[in-house]
Amino acid sequence: MLTVAEAIRQRRSIRSFRPNPIPPEYILEMLEAAHLAPSGGNRQPWRFLVVTDLEEKRKLRQIAMEQEFVETAPVVFVCAADLKAYSRHASKLRFQEFVDFGVLETLSGRFADPKFREQYERRADIDRATLVRIAMANTYIAIEHLVLTATALGLGSCWIGAVDQSEEIRNFFNLPKSAIILALVPVGYPAKVPPPRPRIPLEEMLLRPLPFPSPEASTA
Ligand SMILES: Cc1cc2nc3c(=O)[nH]c(=O)nc-3n(C[C@H](O)[C@H](O)[C@H](O)COP(=O)(O)O)c2cc1C
């Protein structure tokens, strides 16, 4: 398996796959990598559906603007965020973990104050748009863990964000209304590995110059 740094450098968006199936233990390894992602308040809103059935992949291809490799990949992960992860009940459970694992002691002292905590927990009433934004941000981290692990295992993958009719995916797979489909990730052994796509210059990425002399800017 590649190291994290190697996987980050070697990852490409792979859009053509060999038909060879992926060993189940590799799928489990990718899911485990997603499972271990960090999330605000440890809410873990990410949810995945592992799709190998041809008819189901055809449906996903159709929804994802007919991108062919969604159908030809041996496995497609449907990646979703579940807003139930932010329910009052989930909030209580996760907060108890903070207490049990000593996190509370290392958080701002305000959390030791039950009054502040009560107020904080009421944050669950924040509007849906904000909740969706938070759930999305956290789920994207887990998806990238999965993607990098695919690379580390010698597999190719590609983020597919073109799932505008996510409602259709939800209905097709009979998923709960609280699940928001964010992306598809087709995975398989690469048939073709493209050269790296360019990146903006480092200076453009930095909002101000580095506080130390930098080597020649790299765009690799
Ligand atoms: C959120 C997100 C959505 C994307 N959606 C698509 C997509 O629908 N179809 C596609 O072919 N590539 C998609 N991509 C892949 C990007 O085009 C690709 O990451 C980018 O061009 C850089 O190339 P690289 O991944 O090979 O480094 C998506 C990437 C991200 C992160």
Side-chain angles (χ1 to χ4, degrees), residues 31-200:
L31 289 172
E32 179 66 353
H35 204 176
L36 293 174
S39 56
N42 203 21
R43 298 301 182 89
Q44 307 164 65
W46 43 77
R47 303 289 181 266
F48 297 92
L49 200 66
V50 180
V51 180
T52 54
D53 176 79
L54 186 59
E55 280 313 308
E56 291 183 343
K57 286 191 287 181
R58 275 200 184 124
K59 182 69 181 173
L60 291 175
R61 166 192 175 155
Q62 180 210 323
I63 293 170
M65 297 169 72
E66 289 295 342
Q67 298 187 76
E68 189 190 348
F69 59 98
V70 173
E71 183 179 322
T72 52
V75 175
V76 180
F77 291 88
V78 175
C79 311
D82 193 345
L83 297 185
K84 276 202 202 114
Y86 298 89
S87 69
R88 230 172 259 281
H89 177 64
S91 170
K92 273 210 161 57
L93 290 178
R94 300 284 87 85
F95 191 82
Q96 191 53 45
E97 287 164 7
F98 269 48
V99 175
D100 295 346
F101 285 80
V103 178
L104 196 60
E105 290 150 33
T106 56
L107 280 172
S108 143
R110 298 180 74 189
F111 282 87
D113 175 357
K115 268 212 178 96
F116 175 77
R117 277 213 314 268
E118 205 179 295
Q119 261 175 12
Y120 184 80
E121 278 165 26
R122 263 191 254 126
R123 274 178 7 125
D125 293 337
I126 52 181
D127 66 276
R128 187 183 156 90
T130 307
L131 210 53
V132 169
R133 186 177 54 73
I134 294 170
M136 279 177 73
N138 286 284
T139 301
Y140 270 31
I141 298 169
I143 300 173
E144 186 60 7
H145 272 204
L146 184 146
V147 161
L148 287 175
T149 302
T151 308
L153 291 166
L155 300 167
S157 68
C158 185
W159 277 79
I160 303 280
V163 284
D164 291 346
Q165 304 97 315
S166 62
E167 185 94 12
E168 219 179 318
I169 298 183
R170 199 160 57 197
N171 294 339
F172 183 74
F173 290 103
N174 204 16
L175 303 176
K177 271 212 150 57
S178 54
I180 298 165
I181 315 294
L182 298 181
L184 305 177
V185 179
V187 179
Y189 290 96
K192 220 166 45 194
V193 179
R197 294 199 66 185
R199 291 299 190 261
I200 55 171

